[in-house]
Amino acid sequence: MNELRQRWLTLMELAVWGEVKSTRMGATARMRKRLLEVGEKLRSLVADRAWIPHPREQVKNALGSAYSLKDALLQFERAAQDVDGGADYDDFAAAVIALHQCLLDRLPDLENQWAGLLDSQYDEDEDELDD
């Protein structure tokens, strides 16, 4: 997760402090807002869920966070398509691709683990009912 965080931080620095521009009015502000949402969802993904009393609900929350992160990434990538110029455009575009690849290299495995864990917890509940 540290690599994801670093890639997001790099992208955020380019989006806020770098010279990236758009020919569409308000597009860079929208893109920055969407990128911030990706960061918030990334933070939610790695958050401690000890405050949630039931293990099954912890897993459901983690799985929901993963889906929210993917959705936020998609929304950001749509907004980032409007960025079309500036001295840091090439670095920005490469950083968008790097974040996408890094996230999609990790997220499906986590989702599958959590979904499997959730299924196994439901199976355990059914076994208890049968007894």
Side-chain angles (χ1 to χ4, degrees):
M1 288 296 164
N2 282 339
E3 183 182 359
L4 271 172
R5 181 178 181 197
Q6 285 307 117
R7 292 200 184 277
W8 178 81
L9 285 169
T10 299
L11 194 50
M12 195 67 180
E13 185 173 343
L14 284 167
V16 173
W17 295 104
E19 187 183 327
V20 291
K21 298 179 180 180
S22 176
T23 53
R24 296 187 63 203
M25 179 89 76
T28 53
R30 254 188 318 280
M31 174 272 299
R32 289 180 188 120
K33 179 181 174 189
R34 297 290 182 223
L35 183 55
L36 182 58
E37 290 170 357
V38 169
E40 290 170 344
K41 301 301 180 184
L42 184 57
R43 174 66 181 106
S44 177
L45 182 70
V46 299
D48 182 17
R49 290 175 172 74
W51 62 273
I52 302 173
H54 197 280
R56 180 179 8 198
E57 296 304 317
Q58 291 175 358
V59 174
K60 286 169 65 175
N61 184 276
L63 196 52
S65 293
Y67 292 143
S68 292
L69 177 56
K70 282 189 348 188
D71 184 53
L73 181 66
L74 178 63
Q75 296 298 322
F76 162 69
E77 288 174 343
R78 285 181 182 155
Q81 289 176 352
D82 289 335
V83 174
D84 53 12
D88 292 319
Y89 173 75
D90 290 338
D91 291 337
F92 175 80
V96 170
I97 292 168
L99 178 66
H100 178 93
Q101 289 174 336
C102 188
L103 185 60
L104 293 184
D105 283 349
R106 289 168 177 74
L107 215 47
D109 289 337
L110 287 174
E111 289 172 344
N112 289 335
Q113 288 174 343
W114 290 328
L117 184 57
L118 196 57
D119 286 344
S120 71
Q121 289 177 347
Y122 281 116
D123 291 342
E124 288 172 11
D125 285 348
E126 287 177 8
D127 291 342
E128 288 175 10
L129 291 174
D130 291 340
D131 290 340

